[in-house]
Amino acid sequence: MPALNLALALASQPAPSPAQRSQALDALREAVRRGSASRDVLATAGPAFRQLGEARTAAETLERARAMGAPTAAILGELAQARWVTGDRATAERRRGEAIALDARDATLRYLYGLMLADAGRRDRAVEEFRQAAILGARTSIAERARQRLRAMRAPVPEERPAPGARVP
């Protein structure tokens, strides 16, 4: 779908100009309008809306994708981020918990949940999520970011381990 591809290309730029942002939003809206019956289109457009500063539209789009079938960890994780940005923290935490329940071994989900918890002032829970991300992510950039967060919080940092067979304590 050309409109969606254009929107994703523009949304992924570090700092799109106002004209590029407007063009990307127009393309996203068009892609969603044309592909409104496609869960994949909605699940792809939602995060792009959030990246472009349209968190409410992102949340609405991702809720529609969620309602189209069994929820996936990816859709729920993105929905949690969008809800968090809109200020709906209770729903964001619920969705993030649902995402982790579907895929407890996803280091990125655990890391992002840790960020949410830290932002909410729930240090002990944030430390646990960062710890899980560091263990599960092994030698990935997410694991390194989690270890950096743990060091900044002056919390014990798990040793780096190889990814195969990583266990969640």
Side-chain angles (χ1 to χ4, degrees):
M1 178 172 266
L4 185 57
N5 291 337
L6 171 63
L8 295 175
L10 291 170
S12 67
Q13 294 184 13
S17 70
Q20 290 172 321
R21 181 181 179 277
S22 179
Q23 184 180 11
L25 287 171
D26 289 345
L28 277 175
R29 288 184 188 106
E30 177 64 16
V32 167
R33 187 186 65 73
R34 287 185 177 185
S36 62
S38 169
R39 184 179 192 184
D40 290 340
V41 168
L42 298 175
T44 302
F49 277 121
R50 182 180 48 77
Q51 287 175 306
L52 291 166
E54 297 290 326
R56 287 198 195 295
T57 305
E60 291 165 5
T61 303
L62 289 162
E63 286 288 2
R64 288 173 50 201
R66 179 179 155 266
M68 294 176 111
T72 66
I75 289 172
L76 291 169
E78 288 291 345
L79 181 53
Q81 286 182 261
R83 289 290 182 202
W84 191 263
V85 174
T86 67
D88 185 357
R89 292 183 170 202
T91 300
E93 283 197 52
R94 232 179 5 264
R95 295 295 177 249
R96 181 70 64 197
E98 291 169 6
I100 289 171
L102 289 174
D103 190 358
R105 300 186 61 76
D106 186 316
T108 301
L109 285 174
R110 304 305 286 257
Y111 175 77
L112 293 171
Y113 191 34
L115 290 176
M116 290 168 60
L117 293 165
D119 189 44
R122 296 170 55 196
R123 183 190 184 281
D124 291 344
R125 287 284 294 125
V127 164
E128 183 55 28
E129 292 302 324
F130 289 139
R131 198 166 111 38
Q132 297 300 333
I135 292 168
L136 292 168
R139 296 179 180 185
T140 64
S141 61
I142 285 293
E144 183 52 37
R145 287 185 208 158
R147 285 190 286 276
Q148 289 171 355
R149 290 279 178 174
L150 289 167
R151 286 184 200 102
M153 297 170 90
R154 292 188 161 65
V157 179
E159 290 182 30
E160 195 172 304
R161 296 191 252 207
R167 298 191 73 224
V168 179

